[in-house]
Structure formats: C-alpha cells, structure tokens
Amino acid sequence: MPDRPDGSVTIDQPLTFYVVALPPDRPLKAADLSGRIWTEDEINDLGVGYEKLELMPRGRGKLLVRSPQLYHSIEEGETVTVTMELLNEGSRRIENAELKADVPLNWTKKIEPAVIPSLEIGAETRVTLTFQPPEDISVGKYEIRVQSSAMSSGQTVNGEDKTITVEIKAGANILGTVLLILLIIGLVATVVIFGIRLSKR
C-alpha cells in the first residue's frame, strides 16, 4: 500500500482480492497465481479453497504545526505577532483545523483565521497570532501554550503543542531621561555661576 492515495489506490474505494489455499500435492504454485489478475470463475475452476476479501483504504489526517520563531523580545506597551504554518502530512483530508492559545492572565489574543475549513493532503496554510500584554505588565519572561486540532473522517487529529516565550523588557522612560538631563544642566550651570561669583570676590 502506498503512503498516500495514487492512481492505483483511492480513499474509500474497496480493493478486492482473493486468498487461495493450495494443497501441497498440487503442481500450481503461489507464483503462478500472482503472475496475472484472475477472475473469480477462473479461481473456482482450479478446484482449490479460496476466499474473496476486500480492503477499504481509509487514510488518516496528520496535522503538523511549524513556526520560524518561538522566542520574542518586546518592550512594555508592544504587541507580539507570531506566524504559524499548518500542514496536512497525512493520507486523508482534514477539516476544521484550528489553533488555541493559553495566554497569561489579562493578556488578549487574536488568531486569524480562527478556523481552517478544509486542508487537503499535502496542503498547508498560514495562521497569524497576535498577543497583547496588559499595560501594567511586569518585566520578565512569559510563556504562551498553543494547541492545534482538526477533524478527519469523524476522528480528532491533534498536532504537537508549541510554547511561545515572550520576554518583556523595560521601555525607555523618555520623561525621566529628559528630567535627568535638565537636572545635570542645572547642576552644571549652578556650579559655573557659583564659580564666577567666587572668582570676582
């Protein structure tokens, strides 16, 4: 059986074959039977035991999730945008594929598209995930767990979980920097003025 459907095998289309029991005293060998395609009447004329069987190829979907980067470093007030690719590596079409993200407390998330209606064999699609930390977020590292799932022939197909690490860095305090510069300028000006007055005395 091939790994995926091809010209000889079609999903949900039965393959008919025969199992033949040959007595040891018969000159006919298994190699003689496998050399061509036999009809049931021809096998019946051989006068041997046989059974007609059917094999139904069902196939199964297999969901693969890929992401070029799972570590992100941002400053306070910024958002995180992550791109993930969903690929059907199985031998059957999958439906209703989706990603779910478990975010830290008070974070907001947006996943586009929320659901992929159908993904054919070997096909892939891209999903964009956007995460927004709260305004009062503390500096540090946070983890976001992403789960993937789909349906294939009425059965649930789960992909490998991914963990996104987000590092929050302290943002540049522009107001504080300006006040510090003004304080230094004022201090220098005070020293200069005080020095001039001392020199005149």
Side-chain angles (χ1 to χ4, degrees):
M1 296 290 293
D3 292 335
R4 294 184 177 180
D6 57 15
S8 61
V9 177
T10 304
I11 296 297
D12 294 333
Q13 294 296 323
L15 298 173
T16 303
F17 62 98
Y18 299 91
V19 176
V20 179
L22 296 175
D25 58 343
R26 294 291 297 270
L28 191 63
K29 304 297 181 183
D32 299 326
L33 292 175
S34 61
R36 66 182 181 88
I37 298 177
W38 292 66
T39 65
E40 187 172 2
D41 291 337
E42 290 175 330
I43 295 177
N44 190 41
D45 291 340
L46 294 176
V48 297
Y50 73 93
E51 186 68 34
K52 181 180 180 180
L53 301 177
E54 282 188 351
L55 178 65
M56 183 71 74
R58 294 295 186 189
R60 57 179 301 181
K62 183 179 180 182
L63 189 60
L64 175 66
V65 181
R66 299 183 300 199
S67 180
Q69 185 177 358
L70 293 174
Y71 184 89
H72 297 265
S73 180
I74 63 172
E75 294 184 354
E76 295 172 313
E78 295 181 343
T79 60
V80 182
T81 301
V82 182
T83 299
M84 291 190 171
E85 294 179 349
L86 274 63
L87 171 66
N88 182 6
E89 276 199 329
S91 54
R92 189 181 184 91
R93 183 181 66 184
I94 58 178
E95 298 90 19
N96 299 325
E98 62 179 339
L99 294 179
K100 294 183 178 179
D102 185 12
V103 298
L105 183 64
N106 295 329
W107 285 51
T108 59
K109 60 185 176 180
K110 185 177 182 181
I111 303 176
E112 294 181 329
V115 177
I116 295 94
S118 176
L119 204 56
E120 298 293 336
I121 300 171
E124 62 181 273
T125 188
R126 182 172 296 177
V127 179
T128 301
L129 302 91
T130 305
F131 305 105
Q132 175 69 58
E135 293 182 358
D136 58 347
I137 188 73
S138 300
V139 173
K141 291 183 179 180
Y142 299 83
E143 290 188 347
I144 301 172
R145 184 184 179 190
V146 179
Q147 298 174 303
S148 56
S149 65
M151 297 297 294
S152 179
S153 187
Q155 296 183 343
T156 302
V157 178
N158 293 317
E160 182 182 1
D161 292 354
K162 300 292 183 181
T163 300
I164 301 171
T165 302
V166 180
E167 181 183 8
I168 307 293
K169 294 183 177 180
N173 192 337
I174 299 177
L175 180 60
T177 304
V178 171
L179 291 176
L180 180 61
I181 293 175
L182 292 176
L183 180 62
I184 294 174
I185 293 174
L187 182 61
V188 171
T190 302
V191 172
V192 170
I193 294 172
F194 185 72
I196 292 174
R197 288 181 178 179
L198 287 177
S199 63
K200 287 181 178 181
R201 292 180 182 178

